[in-house]
Amino acid sequence: MRPALLRWTATLTGKAAAFITVMCCALAALLGLLVHVSVTNHTVGEARTQALDRLTAATASYEAGDRLPPGAGVDPPGLPARLRALAAGGRRGTMVGEHDPRPTMWAAGPAEEGHALAVRVDYAQGARTIDALDDAIVWSSAPAIGATLLVGAFAVTRVTRRLHGTAQVARRISAGDLDARVDDPRTKDPTRRQDEVAAVAGALDTMASTLQGKLLSEQRFTADVAHELRTPLTGLHAAAELLPPGRPTELVRDRVAALRTLTEDLLEISRLDTGGERPALDAMRLAALAGRVVRESGTEIRVVRDVWVETDRRRLERVLGNLVANAHKHGRPPVVLTVDGPVVTVRDHGDGFPDYLVAHGPQRFRTEGGARGHGLGLTIAAGQAEVLGARLTFGNAADGGAVATLTLPRAGTRPPPTGPEAPPDLAAQTPDTDPQDR
């Protein structure tokens, strides 16, 4: 309950509700205090005026030697000591006190020989009026604060709901859904005044449209270039095969093969960029598949825990093959592939991945440190891993070396195959061994 409350108070709605509540309470307290002071002054003023009028009449009777009116007397019991001292000193004054034991307004003035002539006026009605007013202020403030809080929360919720919708669209765009738009109706009607949320939504939609146009243009350019290169490269490969044997011929064939590989990589990237690739799922033992990928590559394989996975065999082999090839090409031996349940790690003992790659992932046609290649292998691996629903991360080991970690999704509900078609259990046959040694 407490973590949920802390999360809610951290939201804009929670902060707005707290602010509205504090402001309403402060405003209610201020208004209540002002009303209380005003009514109290008025009530006390009326009682004081009445008491002083009676004191004037009692003083006239006392000086004339007549009988004092009811409620008047010299040094009567219950007269507050402070008021008695004031009157004995030759001054007149009033004070609210008690008499049997009702609230009473006392008025006193000087009498002969240091005595005090005092009168009393019943103040119970005025006290009840002030108490009733205080209760009314308290009980009326609670529903007023609640109603104001509800209205304020409703208004803030409308704004936060639009902000949440805008944030959700931004997350969809970040995830690759370039067709996502906020489509705030306020941005479509130029006659309506746009608030800040509508301005943000319009800016996000414009950014998404611009980004989508640029990416589509780049994708079309990459696909067109790759397709246009295939035909001349095919002819160039055939012509290279007709050259006489020799070192120049080997160099030409090597460069032609590199160009063909680059073209195929570009075509594969263009297909991945379209987002239309779908995996052909099949159940298989992960360790056995990894063993086939690293066979004859000089890679050490370690099986901590073998599992059945439901995945696309060809795409997974492509991912693991690119990771292993990158480790051998840019790292230093030994290169170790470890299978631990659905998690596969490929580690070398070289200088590690560049900082930009660890922070932002692979970037096509970017390499550092004079490395050979075009930076497409890891890009393709990341794209194919996304098609598989897997998570591919890159990091560096504490004691040196690059570490690529592929986390495959959990296997589906389909039972693993059995019988002669089931792949061998590599973990049971050769744990923690190199496939080349078998």
Side-chain angles (χ1 to χ4, degrees), residues 8 13 16-18 20-21 24 142-158:
W8 183 81
T13 303
I20 293 173
T21 302
C24 287
I145 293 174
T148 305
L149 181 60
L150 289 177
V151 174
F154 173 74
V156 173
T157 301
R158 292 188 61 186

Side-chain angles (χ1 to χ4, degrees), residues 210-229:
T210 304
L211 180 62
Q212 185 179 34
K214 291 183 178 180
L215 290 179
L216 290 177
S217 177
E218 292 181 1
Q219 292 173 7
R220 285 193 297 268
F221 175 77
T222 301
D224 292 343
V225 168
H227 280 290
E228 292 296 328
L229 286 176

Side-chain angles (χ1 to χ4, degrees), residues 1-7:
M1 182 64 182
R2 185 176 180 182
L5 179 61
L6 292 176
R7 286 194 299 270

Side-chain angles (χ1 to χ4, degrees), residues 63-200:
E63 291 176 350
D66 297 335
R67 183 179 179 181
L68 296 177
V74 178
D75 294 335
L79 180 64
R82 289 178 56 190
L83 187 58
R84 185 190 303 273
L86 181 68
R91 299 172 60 187
R92 301 176 65 183
T94 59
M95 181 176 292
V96 177
E98 291 185 355
H99 181 71
D100 293 335
R102 296 167 62 86
T104 302
M105 174 63 73
W106 291 92
E112 59 183 7
E113 298 179 359
H115 294 284
L117 176 62
V119 297
R120 63 178 183 271
V121 176
D122 188 12
Y123 188 64
Q125 182 62 37
R128 285 194 297 269
T129 300
I130 295 175
D131 292 340
L133 175 65
D134 292 341
D135 292 339
I137 291 175
V138 172
W139 290 107
S140 61
S141 297
I145 293 174
T148 305
L149 181 60
L150 289 177
V151 174
F154 173 74
V156 173
T157 301
R158 292 188 61 186
V159 176
T160 55
R161 187 182 299 115
R162 294 168 58 198
L163 289 175
H164 283 308
T166 303
Q168 185 177 4
V169 171
R171 285 191 289 268
R172 289 172 56 190
I173 294 174
S174 300
D177 184 7
L178 299 181
D179 294 324
R181 297 292 186 274
V182 180
D183 288 332
D184 194 313
R186 293 170 179 79
T187 62
K188 299 183 179 299
D189 188 358
T191 61
R192 299 181 62 179
R193 294 179 60 87
Q194 293 191 15
D195 56 9
E196 289 78 1
V197 181
V200 173

Side-chain angles (χ1 to χ4, degrees), residues 2 28 49 53 76 83 92 132 152 172 184 216 229-230 249 269 271 278 322 340 342 360 407 409-410 412 415 421 437:
R2 185 176 180 182
T49 301
D53 291 341
L83 187 58
R92 301 176 65 183
R172 289 172 56 190
D184 194 313
L216 290 177
L229 286 176
R230 287 186 94 179
T249 300
I269 288 177
R271 289 193 298 269
R278 295 293 180 270
N322 282 14
D340 187 1
H360 306 290
T407 305
R410 295 182 179 274
E421 295 182 356
D437 296 334

Side-chain angles (χ1 to χ4, degrees), residues 285-295 301-303 306 337 339 423-435 438:
R285 295 301 289 263
L286 183 56
L289 183 143
R292 287 193 295 270
V293 171
V294 302
R295 184 175 293 121
I301 181 170
R302 297 175 182 174
V303 180
D306 193 11
L337 185 148
V339 177
D425 189 347
L426 182 62
Q429 295 178 8
T430 55
D432 298 345
T433 58
D434 192 326
R438 295 195 300 272

Side-chain angles (χ1 to χ4, degrees), residues 2-46:
R2 185 176 180 182
L5 179 61
L6 292 176
R7 286 194 299 270
W8 183 81
T9 54
T11 62
L12 181 59
T13 303
K15 294 177 180 178
F19 176 77
I20 293 173
T21 302
V22 172
M23 292 303 297
C24 287
C25 291
L27 182 60
L30 178 61
L31 292 177
L33 179 62
L34 292 176
V35 172
H36 171 82
V37 171
S38 177
V39 174
T40 300
N41 290 338
H42 178 72
T43 304
V44 172
E46 288 184 346

